[in-house]
Amino acid sequence: MANIQPTSLPAARTGMLIRRPVEQVFEAIVNPDVTTKFWFSKGSGRLDAGTAVSWEWEPYDVSIDVTPKLVEPNRRVRIEWPGYSGPTTVEWTFGPIEEGFTFVQVQESGWTGDADQLLKYVADSTEGFTLLMAGMKAWLEHGIQLDLTFDRFPKGIEGPQAE
């Protein structure tokens, strides 16, 4: 196979229709009391611009610090967090598409590395955020806690950084 050289900086992107009002979908991302129903297991506080928080995935013994850079109620949230190769930017956008429905999109960018590393980072991040969106949809629309994040790599199964 030819050596692939990216011509632009890569980004992981995904989106999902959530059949709930934009205020409720936005709150699900900024309020850890809701987010813990479908993504991480513990958050130290709400996402407010300039106020760092910690998120924990207790089953994996992982904790990260997150710095909210921009929080526009019911429109957009941008954070910086420790990515695979150093700090990256994650941004959610929330768009009402009809009465009571929201289309939420998420994008992560800012990795560094060679082409193989960048491809892996984009794939892993896209997979993770797709699970996040599916779990959020199940929780907000049906009150079902799927535990997708924790079931992705059960004990004894190699995690996303395995080669």
Side-chain angles (χ1 to χ4, degrees), residues 11-30:
R13 294 179 185 90
T14 190
M16 182 74 65
L17 169 69
I18 309 286
R19 290 178 177 85
R20 288 291 179 259
V22 70
E23 298 83 7
Q24 190 176 353
V25 179
F26 176 83
E27 186 71 7
I29 293 298
V30 300

Side-chain angles (χ1 to χ4, degrees), residues 52-95:
V53 297
S54 293
W55 290 343
E56 294 182 41
W57 289 262
E58 293 169 305
Y60 299 129
D61 195 29
V62 170
S63 177
I64 64 168
D65 293 326
V66 175
T67 304
K69 297 293 189 177
L70 176 73
V71 179
E72 294 178 1
N74 305 323
R75 293 193 61 230
R76 187 165 44 159
V77 172
R78 184 182 308 133
I79 65 167
E80 183 177 277
W81 71 354
Y84 300 120
S85 62
T88 59
T89 298
V90 178
E91 182 168 302
W92 289 266
T93 57
F94 306 85

